[in-house]
Amino acid sequence: MTAERTLPVAATVLTATVAVYITLVAFGNITDFGTNQEFVRHVLAMDTTFEDDDLMWRAVTDPAVQDAAYVLIIVWETLAAALLIAATVLWIRGLGRSGPGYGAARRATTLGLLMLMLLFGLGFIGIGGEWFAMWQSAKWNGLQAALRTFTLAGFVLILIHLPSPQWHRD
């Protein structure tokens, strides 16, 4: 591998890694629907928090609303996975000597990663962790997993946006 291909190869491998990861997450949520359905229900109901009267008005206890939120999470994960899989294909095509370049791959990867950062950063860390006080729950606290995904997506996003003449093959 030549030096001028190392950054695109790294971007390809890391995009593929995140694509496989989020595909497995979405697949798990679809095929084992009930496990994380319970997680979402407990977080939204705030039934394992400190149950402070000043916070409990935020709780969402309607099972239909809870399930709708969970289905939206799965749809968002699935769309992000599909986009990152497509981005991986674009990266692989771009690696070819006469390939189309990396512009489309970078754009698709950026969008897919931002989708994950919104879901896990805004959705789980911000809204779940703070608004629904998930941090207070000893049993239904997904902040570490959300932070792990947010950090991974952020790292790859930074990598694909490093300034480099390697990107200008378009």
Side-chain angles (χ1 to χ4, degrees), residues 47-128:
D47 58 0
T48 60
T49 65
F50 301 162
E51 297 191 19
D52 183 338
D53 289 337
D54 293 331
L55 296 178
M56 291 309 292
W57 63 270
R58 300 175 183 177
V60 175
T61 56
D62 182 340
V65 174
Q66 293 170 339
D67 291 347
Y70 182 45
V71 168
L72 286 174
I73 290 168
I74 294 171
V75 168
W76 192 265
E77 290 169 342
T78 302
L79 290 173
L83 189 54
L84 289 167
I85 290 167
T88 300
V89 171
L90 290 169
W91 280 112
I92 291 168
R93 286 183 53 220
L95 288 173
R97 295 247 180 251
S98 60
Y102 304 116
R106 289 177 77 203
R107 287 187 294 277
T109 301
T110 297
L111 183 56
L113 294 172
L114 287 175
M115 288 177 71
L116 293 182
M117 293 181 84
L118 279 171
L119 177 62
F120 289 93
L122 176 63
F124 286 97
I125 296 171
I127 296 170

Side-chain angles (χ1 to χ4, degrees), residues 151-166:
T151 303
L152 175 62
F155 174 78
V156 178
L157 185 63
I158 290 169
L159 178 108
I160 67 163
H161 284 279
L162 289 173
S164 173
Q166 297 169 36

